[in-house]
Amino acid sequence: MSLTPYTVTCTSGTVGLSQVDSTIATTTEAAQAYLRSVLGDATLTAVPYVPPVIDPKVALAVYASAKWSALSNGGLTVNGVLVGTDDAGKALLNGAVLLAMQAPTQAFSWSVPGGKVALTATQVIAIGVAVGQFIQRSFVALQTVEAEINDGTITTTAAIDAYAWPTS
């Protein structure tokens, strides 16, 4: 089913249909009746639908950015310890690394799927460094993919998926 877009004119001015109600009926008569019940003196004028023109490079860049976001927020296993790399996970890790730097004899209990694992301050710092390096490699990968989109080397989402994104 295709919907016909309308321009709605009423005493308060002209508004786009999406600003009125997205559940409006698809027939002109039903739409006018509905709008009159909502706006009072509404009349509808059908306008041709012009789909938005999206630059293919912009669409690919958006896809690459979503790929990067899923990768960089998807977690990382470092020496058998799964570490969250979303914002909350990185914040917890940064706090632990700061504490480990200030208190090198501090023992840490880190949550992992299925329980907890004991870590030393040295291990926490090593995990923090590994996560930081992973995040930086993912930024470099995104920057490279975007450059290849802009220069025409990458022209499909399949090529973005096939790119050698960092895994650890």
Side-chain angles (χ1 to χ4, degrees), residues 11 14 22 27 37 51 59 77 91 99 101-103 105 117 119 121 133 153 157 161 166:
T11 54
T14 301
S22 61
T27 64
S37 73
T77 300
L99 177 58
M101 292 170 62
Q102 298 297 316
T105 60
V117 64
L119 297 172
Q133 290 172 338
T153 303
T157 57
D161 291 339

Side-chain angles (χ1 to χ4, degrees), residues 20-31:
V20 176
D21 191 319
S22 61
T23 61
I24 197 157
T26 59
T27 64
T28 303
E29 298 79 22

Side-chain angles (χ1 to χ4, degrees), residues 6-64:
Y6 294 100
T7 298
V8 179
T9 306
C10 60
T11 54
S12 61
T14 301
V15 295
L17 183 60
S18 62
Q19 294 171 294
V20 176
D21 191 319
S22 61
T23 61
I24 197 157
T26 59
T27 64
T28 303
E29 298 79 22
Q32 284 185 353
Y34 173 77
L35 288 171
R36 281 197 186 97
S37 73
V38 173
L39 300 172
D41 66 344
T43 58
L44 266 66
T45 306
V47 295
Y49 176 70
V50 178
V53 176
I54 299 173
D55 181 331
K57 288 183 177 182
V58 171
L60 288 171
V62 168
Y63 184 86

